[in-house]
Amino acid sequence: MAAGKYQESYSSRFSNCKYQVFLSFRGEDTRKNFTDHLYKALIQAGIHIFRDDDEIRRGENIDFELQKAIQQSKISIIVFSKDYASSRWCLDELVMIMERKRNEDCIVLPVFYDVDPSQVGRQTGSFAAAFVEHEKSFNEEMERVSGWRIALKEVADLAGMVLGDGYEAQFVQSIVEKVSKNLDRKLFHVPLHFIGRDPLVNYINSWLQDGSHDAAIAILYGIGGVGKTTIAKSVFNQNIHKFEGKSFLSNFRSKDIVCLQRQLLSDILKKTVEINDEDEGILKIKDALCCRRTLIVLDDVDKRDQFNKIIGMQNWLCKGSKIIVTTRNKGLFSANDIECVACKVEPLDKEKSLKLFSWNAFGQADPVDGFVEDSWRIVHHCNGLPLALGVMGSSLSGKGREIWESALQQMEVILNFEVQKVLRISYDFLDGDYPKNLFLDIACFFNGMDVDDAVRILDGLDKGARFGIDNLIDRCLVEINSDQRLWMHQLVRDMGREIARQESPKCQRIWHHGDAFTVLKGTTDAEKLRGLTIDMHALMEYHYAEVVCTDSMVCRKRRRLNFFQQWLSDFSDGGKLQTGQTSLFPILSTDAFRKMPDVKFLQLNYTNFHGSFEHFPKNLIWLCWHGVSWSSIPNHVCLEKLVVLDLSRSCLVDAWTGKPILFAHGSFNVVVYVFDEEEKLRWFHEDKWLIQNEFVDNFSFKISSSPPAHRICGFNLFISCVTSAYRGFSYVDIEIRNNTSGRSLRRLASVFSVGYARGVREIQSLSHMKLGVGDPTFDNGDDVSISMRPHDPAIQVKAIGVQWLHEEEGKDEVINAKVEIASRIFRNYYCGFHGKSTDGKIVFLEIASRIFRTSH
């Protein structure tokens, strides 16, 4: 805050200054030696100087021009040499300078070149001799001479710089550094209220001053609008005087490389340099950087080749040079590529966010009375992004309650244009359609989902989702949080959704519950629909003041929030609807599905439909339908291309009725987490299972009691595993050997396909596998052995069980009762996966229940 105030007062003090430094000296003493060296050093430091033999044109009134130059200079440097006092011109300049200092408090820096300050103040030595001559020459102007004496005494009392017996070169450099500091050379504007960034600025300042003689690079990365450029400007301003060469190349990604090369050379060499092409620029930059310590900031670099054409190889740089790069691309440099310091610029915490917003909105550190709650709403919406906090605060500064209310309503629906423009840059610079579609899909549908689950879904559409997500992470568009879930900054997510809305004529992504409800009512076209998500519970409780039912259903108007909360609470437990209560919600027509033939993602939580499911989408990759009211899945619901199925909180009693729905190759796999003994699957006593409770290496048995006129067409295989803390996707290799015929069947079973949950004591897997062409046959009386090997040593097989499935000769129909075993636990599962192995031989649906106790 103090720095900000100083910056403001300083700039107002010297707002009319034409020169940064006025250089006063005795020409005959120092013009061709010390003063000339000092002048050149100040010029090389980028300081604009007035020097009489350079600035005053011949024939003009020197007194007037000198007085004007003194008045228009920020700092006056007075070089005192032995014969300085012998020049009345020098003494008149000194009087003007000190008079301005008395009246305007300007900066005066006395430099004692080959005299002592006491000689100047007391007018002894050569200064005494000079005044003897002045008193003779100006005996009628003694008041003028007295003024010279007073000025000399005053300037000698100031904190100046004394050469003494030191080295001139070092002395000149120390003067340049002091002038730079006194000028407060903030070449770049830093906001007056620069809040919450001091620790990072201090860290980078420390890195710049660490005394290392090796060239080094610091990367500031983070999402757009988080403050990377402002931090770089602050650091640059504070350290510019410590380097021989310095350059700040702003808006790097949007500028031509040759233009950037010219600017860099001009900044470093202090002169205009002509460059015809990139290759010529690279060679000239190499020559310029190798012989001088430089501080260079490359702001908003997006690609590595951009960096290479400016800085090139790290060994080009002179020892002690420092490069600061700001970027939204964390992967700009690989770990073994260039030694660099990587600093992630995080959003502000809530308290600092409120302070920044308050300074912009109210001109003070806290909200004014009556606006505290609204201020917190905006702070939560901006989620620590300084750009958004500043824009929102400034736009509401001095506005009344009515404008605030309107802004708050608009904020929830429309992202501020200025904020969106900055954030969208990261999206626009993604390479190709795939990463852009991936980003939009996550923003609209998968933000907050377990990353493994999201990868499985997205891989079902286009392979390479994990690589694509890593690219988005490098671009600071997506993160994986501590719970291993995909996470987007709220404003980045909103930016993605706004882009999806704008592109809806080409590819529709419907994430807003109200828009989704309109589509499902069948009143809008959905031919280009890629995905849709709706939660009727959330829609009715939070958004809509009307319950609209289709067909002949009754339309009832309800009050918005209070009524719905009361209405829903009559049928809820702790604010959450119980299974079976979805009939409270509007019933829609299945005709809506006719208009969405190619939809890939559907989330239909707590929705009811009536009619035939004949036209239910057949290309679905992900179907999430919490609270589905069916007792069984309709036959027309095609799940062949489905990768993930989530029917939590449903009313399913039997998953399938009539002819079972078998997936390709007739295989699926059910996985259940067990948290205590009461939660184990209890259905073995109902069916004829062969069980080995203490599995060691293999399980051997003889097939018996095959029904007459039925052959074995497949089997259900149960596996119980114990595990240490493990997370990820793992398989068990299974070999079922017919020792009678000597042939073996090899399969994989997934035992841990979703994220590890704390407290899990046991993992149970149920696999249904249908024998196919080329598989060994199994008949009554055959000796069979089953062996299995987990892929991960953290998983240990505890027990296994097998149940043979039969069908009548000549028919391709599995006895329904055998498949219904899976159906009985189907309604409890959390998520299902349908996938295919690389060799095309194994296709499976995996069904997982995270916690039985919450899957009502």
Side-chain angles (χ1 to χ4, degrees):
M1 183 62 62
K5 287 181 177 176
Y6 172 73
Q7 179 185 353
E8 185 179 58
S9 62
Y10 186 90
S11 60
S12 64
R13 281 166 59 194
F14 300 116
S15 57
N16 296 320
C17 287
K18 180 178 179 181
Y19 305 103
Q20 291 175 303
V21 171
F22 177 90
L23 192 56
S24 175
F25 59 95
R26 172 70 166 141
E28 292 179 9
D29 287 351
T30 62
R31 175 180 284 116
K32 294 182 179 180
N33 44 61
F34 176 78
T35 297
D36 187 61
H37 298 155
L38 176 60
Y39 175 79
K40 290 294 174 60
L42 291 168
I43 289 292
Q44 288 175 355
I47 297 169
H48 187 43
I49 308 168
F50 178 94
R51 188 172 67 168
D52 64 353
D53 53 358
D54 282 350
E55 298 293 338
I56 298 179
R57 296 186 294 274
R58 293 178 184 272
E60 294 183 345
N61 188 325
I62 193 168
D63 288 331
F64 174 77
E65 292 297 326
L66 277 174
Q67 186 173 4
K68 184 178 177 181
I70 290 170
Q71 294 296 325
Q72 292 181 340
S73 297
K74 297 180 180 180
I75 297 177
S76 293
I77 298 177
I78 306 167
V79 180
F80 289 105
S81 54
K82 286 184 179 179
D83 290 329
Y84 182 90
S86 64
S87 169
R88 71 173 182 87
W89 292 102
C90 289
L91 293 173
D92 284 339
E93 284 177 16
L94 175 63
V95 170
M96 293 180 198
I97 291 169
M98 297 309 294
E99 182 178 357
R100 185 184 175 213
K101 177 172 176 55
R102 285 191 292 267
N103 295 331
E104 301 183 34
D105 193 28
C106 66
I107 299 172
V108 176
L109 179 62
V111 174
F112 303 97
Y113 172 59
D114 57 358
V115 294
D116 189 85
S118 62
Q119 291 180 273
V120 175
R122 299 171 184 172
Q123 291 98 56
T124 60
S126 60
F127 280 65
F131 271 86
V132 169
E133 296 298 320
H134 289 324
E135 287 175 352
K136 291 179 181 176
S137 301
F138 300 96
N139 58 350
E140 295 181 2
E141 298 181 70
M142 292 304 296
E143 187 174 320
R144 183 179 182 186
V145 174
S146 176
W148 293 342
R149 288 187 180 275
I150 293 171
L152 286 169
K153 184 178 186 307
E154 286 179 355
V155 76
D157 291 336
L158 298 176
M161 304 189 70
V162 183
L163 172 62
D165 57 355
Y167 292 98
E168 266 192 32
Q170 293 180 359
F171 188 54
V172 166
Q173 188 57 39
S174 63
I175 295 171
V176 172
E177 290 183 11
K178 185 159 187 175
V179 169
S180 296
K181 288 181 180 178
N182 283 328
L183 282 172
D184 191 30
R185 299 183 65 220
K186 287 181 168 49
L187 302 181
F188 298 97
H189 171 69
V190 176
L192 181 60
H193 307 294
F194 189 46
I195 294 169
R197 298 310 190 193
D198 286 346
L200 185 51
V201 169
N202 292 337
Y203 174 78
I204 300 171
N205 283 340
S206 176
W207 166 74
L208 286 170
Q209 301 165 20
D210 66 1
S212 170
H213 294 293
D214 296 327
I217 297 172
I219 300 177
L220 302 179
Y221 69 93
I223 64 173
V226 79
K228 304 179 295 296
T229 299
T230 306
I231 292 170
K233 287 178 178 179
S234 177
V235 170
F236 187 82
N237 289 341
Q238 293 177 41
N239 293 276
I240 190 172
H241 60 280
K242 299 172 184 175
F243 293 84
E244 298 170 67
K246 66 281 296 182
S247 180
F248 193 112
L249 303 181
S250 58
N251 300 318
F252 200 89
R253 78 165 79 208
S254 61
K255 292 182 179 177
D256 177 71
I257 290 294
V258 173
C259 290
L260 290 167
Q261 290 175 331
R262 288 196 191 108
Q263 183 184 339
L264 176 64
L265 287 169
S266 175
D267 291 343
I268 299 296
L269 301 177
K270 305 300 179 188
K271 64 180 182 179
T272 301
V273 179
E274 285 300 320
I275 300 174
N276 296 313
D277 54 51
E278 294 177 1
D279 292 335
E280 181 185 358
I282 290 171
L283 294 176
K284 288 186 175 181
I285 289 171
K286 180 180 179 180
D287 290 339
L289 297 183
C290 67
C291 56
R292 51 176 60 82
R293 286 180 67 250
T294 53
L295 172 62
I296 301 173
V297 175
L298 308 180
D299 175 46
D300 199 21
V301 180
D302 183 61
K303 293 184 172 134
R304 179 59 189 274
D305 64 331
Q306 295 174 325
F307 175 88
N308 290 342
K309 289 173 182 177
I310 298 296
I311 301 301
M313 303 300 292
Q314 196 171 4
N315 57 16
W316 290 5
L317 303 173
C318 178
K319 287 185 177 181
S321 293
K322 301 287 185 178
I323 312 297
I324 299 173
V325 178
T326 75
T327 182
R328 305 183 191 197
N329 185 1
K330 184 178 69 171
L332 194 64
F333 302 110
S334 61
N336 55 358
D337 185 12
I338 284 183
E339 259 186 67
C340 60
V341 176
C343 304
K344 182 178 181 181
V345 183
E346 300 278 6
L348 299 174
D349 62 33
K350 298 299 183 189
E351 296 299 328
K352 291 184 177 65
S353 296
L354 182 64
K355 182 179 288 187
L356 178 59
F357 174 78
S358 297
W359 276 114
N360 282 277
F362 309 111
Q364 60 185 48
D366 300 298
V368 300
D369 291 342
F371 289 89
V372 175
E373 184 178 346
D374 290 341
S375 296
W376 274 115
R377 281 179 61 188
I378 294 172
V379 165
H380 286 299
H381 177 77
C382 294
N383 205 11
L385 199 67
L387 170 67
L389 291 163
V391 169
M392 291 296 293
S394 299
S395 65
L396 292 172
S397 179
K399 301 296 191 296
R401 167 63 58 190
E402 186 178 345
I403 301 298
W404 274 70
E405 286 295 334
S406 176
L408 289 167
Q409 292 172 10
Q410 186 185 66
M411 176 186 72
E412 303 294 338
V413 181
I414 304 173
L415 184 63
N416 178 274
F417 174 76
E418 186 176 341
V419 176
Q420 180 181 332
K421 183 173 66 174
V422 172
L423 293 177
R424 179 161 180 158
I425 292 171
S426 299
Y427 170 83
D428 289 336
F429 276 81
L430 291 173
D431 295 323
D433 291 336
Y434 177 77
K436 290 181 178 179
N437 280 323
L438 182 64
F439 169 74
L440 296 179
D441 286 338
I442 294 173
C444 293
F445 306 120
F446 304 117
N447 187 38
M449 181 178 282
D450 180 274
V451 65
D452 291 336
D453 295 352
V455 166
R456 284 170 182 266
I457 297 170
L458 294 163
D459 269 345
L461 196 60
D462 293 295
K463 295 296 182 183
R466 185 57 202 244
F467 178 78
I469 289 172
D470 284 346
N471 180 43
L472 295 179
I473 291 172
D474 285 344
R475 298 283 179 165
C476 301
L477 289 168
V478 179
E479 293 183 23
I480 297 176
N481 67 15
S482 58
D483 293 327
Q484 294 298 300
R485 295 183 177 277
L486 292 175
W487 181 87
M488 282 184 177
H489 188 281
Q490 179 174 320
L491 297 183
V492 173
R493 181 205 66 186
D494 292 347
M495 178 267 294
R497 291 181 172 182
E498 176 60 18
I499 292 171
R501 187 190 64 80
Q502 294 171 3
E503 296 182 353
S504 60
K506 294 184 294 182
C507 176
Q508 280 185 302
R509 295 174 176 87
I510 307 296
W511 73 93
H512 189 274
H513 298 318
D515 294 340
F517 187 57
T518 301
V519 170
L520 292 175
K521 285 194 297 179
T523 56
T524 60
D525 178 46
E527 288 288 332
K528 302 293 186 180
L529 186 66
R530 180 181 178 91
L532 177 146
T533 178
I534 186 173
D535 188 317
M536 290 299 299
H537 188 175
L539 174 66
M540 296 172 66
E541 186 172 0
Y542 298 115
H543 294 288
Y544 271 62
E546 255 186 282
V547 180
V548 183
C549 304
T550 60
D551 297 341
S552 60
M553 299 297 168
V554 180
C555 296
R556 302 178 183 177
K557 291 187 177 181
R558 307 291 190 186
R559 291 181 184 175
R560 187 179 178 189
L561 271 179
N562 295 336
F563 177 83
F564 277 115
Q565 290 172 344
Q566 179 62 44
W567 186 59
L568 289 170
S569 67
D570 292 340
F571 303 96
S572 66
D573 180 13
K576 295 183 179 179
L577 287 176
Q578 300 297 301
T579 303
Q581 297 302 324
T582 54
S583 60
L584 295 170
F585 298 135
I587 299 178
L588 301 161
S589 173
T590 55
D591 288 342
F593 296 126
R594 290 174 179 267
K595 300 182 178 181
M596 51 182 76
D598 203 38
V599 65
K600 299 297 189 294
F601 313 121
L602 271 185
Q603 186 176 38
L604 303 170
N605 292 349
Y606 302 106
T607 55
N608 280 332
F609 290 87
H610 70 90
S612 171
F613 283 84
E614 181 181 357
H615 297 286
F616 193 77
K618 295 177 173 55
N619 294 313
L620 278 178
I621 302 296
W622 173 56
L623 176 60
C624 176
W625 202 332
H626 292 181
V628 64
S629 59
W630 303 327
S631 60
S632 62
I633 296 177
N635 285 344
H636 288 304
V637 174
C638 178
L639 303 177
E640 288 186 4
K641 294 186 179 181
L642 198 68
V643 174
V644 171
L645 177 64
D646 182 353
L647 304 182
S648 304
R649 301 178 181 273
S650 69
C651 299
L652 287 173
V653 176
D654 293 313
W656 297 283
T657 59
K659 183 177 179 179
I661 298 174
L662 294 179
F663 298 92
H665 297 280
S667 301
F668 63 79
N669 178 210
V670 181
V671 181
V672 176
Y673 290 0
V674 176
F675 288 80
D676 56 49
E677 292 297 324
E678 294 181 359
E679 289 177 341
K680 291 187 178 181
L681 299 178
R682 305 179 177 86
W683 28 264
F684 293 111
H685 68 280
E686 301 176 4
D687 304 276
K688 295 178 180 180
W689 283 79
L690 297 171
I691 302 292
Q692 185 180 60
N693 287 316
E694 299 295 334
F695 180 81
V696 182
D697 294 316
N698 64 75
F699 176 33
S700 299
F701 55 89
K702 179 177 286 190
I703 300 175
S704 60
S705 303
S706 176
H710 287 72
R711 65 180 178 84
I712 294 175
C713 65
F715 56 89
N716 289 328
L717 184 68
F718 167 75
I719 306 172
S720 175
C721 302
V722 292
T723 180
S724 58
Y726 171 80
R727 190 192 194 294
F729 185 71
S730 188
Y731 296 97
V732 172
D733 282 314
I734 304 169
E735 180 183 8
I736 303 178
R737 179 177 177 78
N738 187 333
N739 296 315
T740 302
S741 66
R743 297 185 64 195
S744 296
L745 173 69
R746 297 180 184 274
R747 290 289 187 265
L748 294 176
S750 172
V751 296
F752 207 63
S753 57
V754 291
Y756 176 78
R758 293 184 179 180
V760 174
R761 296 181 54 182
E762 187 176 333
I763 303 168
Q764 297 179 349
S765 170
L766 172 65
S767 301
H768 165 73
M769 301 183 186
K770 186 180 180 182
L771 297 176
V773 178
D775 291 333
T777 59
F778 296 87
D779 296 310
N780 191 30
D782 287 349
D783 288 319
V784 177
S785 62
I786 302 176
S787 60
M788 48 188 65
R789 178 180 61 84
H791 279 205
D792 193 279
I795 295 174
Q796 179 183 354
V797 177
K798 179 180 177 183
I800 69 169
V802 65
Q803 180 191 50
W804 298 104
L805 304 177
H806 308 85
E807 67 181 9
E808 292 185 34
E809 296 289 347
K811 295 183 179 180
D812 187 23
E813 183 172 319
V814 182
I815 295 176
N816 296 341
K818 307 306 181 183
V819 180
E820 288 174 4
I821 293 168
S823 301
R824 293 179 195 131
I825 66 167
F826 196 61
R827 63 183 179 273
N828 293 321
Y829 68 56
Y830 167 82
C831 200
F833 305 107
H834 175 214
K836 189 172 184 178
S837 65
T838 54
D839 59 8
K841 292 182 179 179
I842 301 172
V843 180
F844 50 85
L845 173 72
E846 297 167 14
I847 305 166
S849 172
R850 289 191 189 274
I851 306 176
F852 265 51
R853 65 174 67 93
T854 62
S855 59
H856 301 298

